[in-house]
Amino acid sequence: MRSEAAAPREDARRTAGQQDLDKRCIDTIRTLAIDAVEKAQSGHAGTPMALAPVAYTLWQRFLRYDPSDPLWPNRDRFVLSAGHASMLLYALLHLAGVRRLGGGRVTDDAAVSLDDIKNFRQLDSVTPGHPEYARTTGVETTTGPLGQGCGNSVGMAIASRWLAARYNRPNATIFDFNVYTICSDGDMMEGVASEAASLAGHLRLSNLCWIYDSNIVTIEGHTDLAMSEDVATRFKAYRWNVLRLTDANDTEGFARAVEIFRGTKDRPTLIIVDSIIGYGAPHKQNTAAAHSDALGAEEVKLAKRFYGWPDDAQFLVPDGVYDSFRNGIGRRGRAGREDWIKTFAGYKKSHAQAAHEVETLLQGKLPQQWDRDLPTFPADEKGLATREASGKVLGTIAKTVPWLIGGAGDLAPSTKTAFADAKALEADEPGGRVMHFGVREHAMGAIVNGLVLSKLRAFGATFLTFSDYMRPAIRLAALMEIPVFHVFTHDSIGLGEDGPTHQPIEQLVALRAIPNIVVLRPADANEVREAYKVIMALTDRPACLVLSRQKLPTFDRSRYAAAEGLARGAYVMAGAKDRKPDVILIASGSEVQLCISVCERLKQEGIAGRVVSMPSWELFEQQDRHYREEILPPSLKARVTVEAGAVIGWDRYAGPDGTIIGMHTFGGSAPAAGLMRKFGFVADKVLQAAKDQIAKHQRA
């Protein structure tokens, strides 16, 4: 039996042993990053070398995450907004033994194997230069464009609180996950992160923790070249809890900071960590050379020597490291997930309807008959603006899809996106469904991505011209293949007096240029209804709904083709059925009415016209060749396209000899009717263009 005097000495030895193992794990993260970057001769090892102690401590002692089930719904989210430091995340995923997803299921394969790390930044690898959602299991969001991950994390934190407010019960906590985000000096400079932080403070997101790696180095040099603000004071003004760790190697100090975060219930937390980029590399640490360059063979040896590592070891994982992660995050995460499974099993018995909702939304599905009550709009020559129709349809969907939430950038009265009878999502009402993003379009795009990554159906809304502010987030949604959607109103010079600053010209073509996206510009209220059917059915790409401010006629569908044709991107809306048309008029949105009126006038003159409503290029292009040629016969060269936007791209449908009526300049400040006349969006001009096309091709 040991003596009382011997006990403290044994405890001290055990502590020393654990500290030695912790250091071995931390240095493994560092050296894996160094070796991967050196082998690729490309990448960023500096931040993994600096932040390895922080990330290791977070994962091993706090992150609620089961590596054997990376789909566990109530896992904590870890976001590497500083995506250039991707090897930090890849090393953690590898050492923690995270399993790979395949076909929507967890497999026995490693999410990131040692061979994958050796294949860093190579073609088709799961270890690309910046983390990519769905490519690499365990990556919660695609990051790299700085600030976007910060914005995503705010969306995830909002989602956690929303899910908790709707589904938790006094005897069953189904959702309460925290969101941890590592951000950099660059993130702190980007406006999108500042906008997101401001909203997070307003909403008092106490489940959100940003870990700011303050290494004061960027690509050009030290941050004092361009940044001299007091970040801590700025975040205090945002109503954040701000903590500071003066040494990134102080793992116990960091652990205390995380404990403070976990005990803070009224605001988000920023932990500022002072670190040395490239820590351990004697000639390159604390310099821009450690930011985005391989260290070089000699500097690698010196760094490894500093860590007490074998100089020539490559991709070494020493004995005990895997076991340490298995006994840390692995054991703790598995226990947490098993407890959750038991809780949810009881929840299903006691709260069957709520449990069914949870399972449906987690599967990315919609409730049965979600579209049963969608309105049908009667023919009306005066009609209504498509933004008005959108508000009616969206409000109806909100009644049948409880997890549909969204809002506008301070423009809900204009975009018509506030659900009737729905509560606003605010700090004291985390289960509200109408979001007030404020005048923060950059953050709105990133936050909506975070909401959808958390399995909610979410949207943002603003004027089409401000889609420019949101383009990085929309592009990332397309890259991640997630079904975000955005409602963009005031879609042309037809908005009138606000003038060219608010009148979109090039925005439609800019959105259409993004791969894996659906852009929809409906021509009337019933096309709006059909557009929402398309949008809500999407599972693997985002959509942008583009709507008018001005009233548009609601077409008499007993005279014209059914609006369901929208689902195929383009359809023959009007024209002679008993003879080959002499000319095809192609348009989207508000300009379809012009083509319809011209077609009627041609008919009176004995000329056969065809009107093609083309609300979505993307949907049309995915139709088979037979359908596309049925709508636009290759042999029929007389064509006119009409759209109040930039003409780029319309030559695909007008053909090399067709006429394209569009915008070649910015608009102007005046009532809409006068602008339309000035820029040629009037029936007389379209009619003349049609006749000229017919004459031209008859001569040919």
Side-chain angles (χ1 to χ4, degrees):
M1 185 179 219
R2 68 178 184 171
S3 68
E4 292 297 316
R9 289 196 297 274
E10 190 170 319
D11 288 343
R13 284 195 297 273
R14 186 182 299 115
T15 300
Q18 182 60 51
Q19 288 175 343
D20 180 68
L21 180 57
D22 288 343
K23 183 179 185 303
R24 201 181 320 154
C25 292
I26 290 165
D27 290 340
T28 301
I29 295 169
R30 286 167 162 154
T31 55
L32 285 176
I34 290 171
D35 289 341
V37 171
E38 196 66 23
K39 184 173 185 294
Q41 284 297 292
S42 171
H44 179 109
T47 291
M49 293 164 72
L51 277 197
V54 166
Y56 171 77
T57 304
L58 177 65
W59 278 55
Q60 278 288 71
R61 294 172 61 173
F62 296 102
L63 195 71
R64 184 172 55 187
Y65 185 92
D66 182 5
S68 69
D69 185 5
L71 290 178
W72 175 27
N74 203 35
R75 68 190 181 278
D76 286 345
R77 272 42 169 195
F78 176 79
V79 175
L80 184 66
S81 191
H84 51 275
S86 57
M87 265 311 305
L88 177 66
L89 178 53
Y90 300 149
L92 289 165
L93 294 172
H94 172 67
L95 297 174
V98 176
R99 300 294 90 191
R100 182 174 296 191
L101 298 177
R105 298 180 180 275
V106 180
T107 71
D108 291 330
D109 297 327
V112 176
S113 67
L114 204 56
D115 283 340
D116 291 326
I117 288 176
K118 293 176 183 178
N119 207 29
F120 179 56
R121 286 185 165 229
Q122 303 308 301
L123 184 65
D124 296 329
S125 74
V126 298
T127 49
H130 294 83
E132 296 180 26
Y133 174 77
R135 174 179 289 274
T136 311
T137 303
V139 172
E140 300 285 4
T141 181
T142 298
T143 56
L146 290 174
Q148 289 291 325
C150 292
N152 297 162
S153 72
V154 172
M156 293 173 183
I158 293 169
S160 178
R161 284 164 51 95
W162 190 93
L163 291 163
R166 181 165 181 87
Y167 297 115
N168 288 358
R169 300 294 184 266
N171 62 340
T173 297
I174 306 302
F175 295 104
D176 65 345
F177 59 84
N178 290 327
V179 183
Y180 298 92
T181 306
I182 287 182
C183 45
S184 63
D185 291 301
D187 288 289
M188 290 296 110
M189 295 184 203
E190 287 285 2
V192 60
S194 299
E195 289 183 14
S198 174
L199 186 59
H202 171 75
L203 293 175
R204 303 202 292 271
L205 299 179
S206 58
N207 59 343
L208 178 65
C209 179
W210 286 5
I211 301 161
Y212 166 29
D213 173 31
S214 178
N215 61 43
I216 65 169
V217 172
T218 57
I219 291 174
E220 291 185 354
H222 283 82
T223 54
D224 59 9
L225 289 169
M227 183 181 182
S228 55
E229 71 199 42
D230 184 337
V231 172
T233 299
R234 173 156 66 95
F235 272 73
K236 288 175 183 176
Y238 289 150
R239 301 173 68 185
W240 285 54
N241 179 36
V242 179
L243 309 171
R244 186 154 213 140
L245 183 70
T246 57
D247 181 2
N249 293 297
D250 181 3
T251 56
E252 291 306 313
F254 177 72
R256 288 192 294 272
V258 176
E259 291 287 9
I260 292 171
F261 155 66
R262 285 157 54 121
T264 300
K265 303 302 180 186
D266 64 344
R267 62 193 60 208
T269 294
L270 177 72
I271 303 174
I272 302 175
V273 178
D274 293 329
S275 73
I276 299 173
I277 193 170
Y279 176 78
H283 303 108
K284 294 190 176 181
Q285 68 178 18
N286 196 34
T287 70
H291 190 284
S292 54
D293 299 322
L295 295 176
E298 188 58 34
E299 192 77 357
V300 167
K301 285 185 178 182
L302 293 174
K304 289 180 176 178
R305 198 170 297 163
F306 176 82
Y307 302 142
W309 213 254
D311 286 7
D312 297 322
Q314 297 288 314
F315 300 98
L316 172 65
V317 180
D319 292 343
V321 171
Y322 291 126
D323 286 340
S324 178
F325 276 89
R326 194 175 299 117
N327 293 325
I329 187 174
R331 179 176 296 174
R332 191 184 67 256
R334 188 178 309 109
R337 180 175 63 88
E338 289 172 353
D339 285 346
W340 186 89
I341 290 171
K342 292 176 184 176
T343 298
F344 193 67
Y347 183 85
K348 289 176 72 172
K349 294 177 181 178
S350 303
H351 311 286
Q353 178 56 40
H356 177 69
E357 274 192 27
V358 169
E359 291 176 330
T360 303
L361 75 89
L362 290 176
Q363 292 166 4
K365 297 180 179 179
L366 296 170
Q368 290 185 349
Q369 295 185 316
W370 67 271
D371 57 350
R372 63 183 181 270
D373 297 323
L374 295 185
T376 297
F377 298 90
D380 183 351
E381 188 174 333
K382 292 184 178 179
L384 71 166
T386 50
R387 63 169 177 161
E388 296 279 359
S390 169
K392 296 177 186 298
V393 177
L394 191 59
T396 303
I397 296 172
K399 294 175 182 177
T400 56
V401 184
W403 51 91
L404 174 68
I405 74 170
D410 194 49
L411 288 170
S414 294
T415 58
K416 310 300 178 184
T417 45
F419 311 146
D421 304 321
K423 293 180 179 178
L425 190 152
E426 283 291 350
D428 296 324
E429 195 65 59
R433 299 176 64 193
V434 176
M435 297 193 64
H436 296 287
F437 290 101
V439 188
R440 301 186 184 97
E441 289 93 349
H442 300 82
M444 178 169 68
I447 289 169
V448 170
N449 284 355
L451 291 167
V452 173
L453 287 164
S454 305
K455 301 302 183 180
L456 300 182
R457 289 308 300 265
F459 67 89
T462 186
F463 294 167
L464 177 58
T465 194
F466 301 134
S467 64
D468 289 342
Y469 286 9
M470 301 171 61
R471 185 177 171 83
I474 295 170
R475 182 176 185 274
L476 287 173
L479 181 61
M480 290 189 280
E481 301 182 351
I482 57 175
V484 165
F485 72 94
H486 294 288
V487 178
F488 293 126
T489 67
H490 295 59
D491 68 345
S492 73
I493 59 171
L495 68 88
E497 292 88 341
D498 275 342
T501 61
H502 283 51
Q503 292 166 0
I505 302 301
E506 74 281 11
Q507 282 71 22
L508 268 171
V509 69
L511 291 172
R512 288 167 175 157
I514 301 173
N516 194 47
I517 194 171
V518 176
V519 180
L520 295 139
R521 188 172 183 244
D524 76 344
N526 287 307
E527 279 198 9
V528 170
R529 180 193 65 236
E530 298 305 315
Y532 272 108
K533 287 184 181 180
V534 169
I535 289 167
M536 295 302 293
L538 294 174
T539 59
D540 60 357
R541 52 178 167 166
C544 295
L545 183 59
V546 180
L547 305 168
S548 73
R549 175 183 184 270
Q550 72 273 32
K551 289 184 177 182
L552 303 181
T554 303
F555 297 111
D556 182 351
R557 296 294 172 164
S558 66
R559 293 183 60 196
Y560 304 115
E564 284 85 348
L566 172 138
R568 305 189 77 170
Y571 63 104
V572 177
M573 188 171 172
K577 297 181 180 179
D578 55 351
R579 57 183 284 196
K580 179 182 177 181
D582 298 310
V583 64
I584 302 178
L585 308 173
I586 312 165
S588 76
S590 52
E591 287 70 67
V592 172
Q593 62 176 315
L594 281 178
C595 293
I596 290 288
S597 65
V598 168
C599 189
E600 297 292 350
R601 289 171 63 176
L602 289 171
K603 183 178 179 181
Q604 292 172 4
E605 298 181 29
I607 301 172
R610 168 180 290 184
V611 175
V612 172
S613 176
M614 185 175 278
S616 174
W617 292 5
E618 300 80 18
L619 294 179
F620 183 63
E621 290 302 325
Q622 73 184 36
Q623 305 306 311
D624 61 47
R625 179 178 176 182
H626 175 76
Y627 179 80
R628 296 197 310 272
E629 292 186 353
E630 180 183 332
I631 303 303
L632 300 175
S635 61
L636 190 53
K637 307 295 185 181
R639 301 182 185 186
V640 179
T641 69
V642 191
E643 186 175 72
V647 300
I648 297 171
W650 273 109
D651 54 330
R652 167 185 281 180
Y653 304 113
D657 298 314
T659 297
I660 301 172
I661 298 175
M663 292 294 294
H664 299 271
T665 67
F666 294 109
S669 178
L675 291 172
M676 290 299 188
R677 284 194 300 273
K678 175 178 178 178
F679 291 102
F681 297 99
V682 290
D684 286 346
K685 179 171 180 178
V686 178
L687 177 64
Q688 188 59 54
K691 290 181 176 180
D692 290 347
Q693 276 287 306
I694 294 169
K696 175 180 179 180
H697 291 286
Q698 284 177 343
R699 290 195 300 273

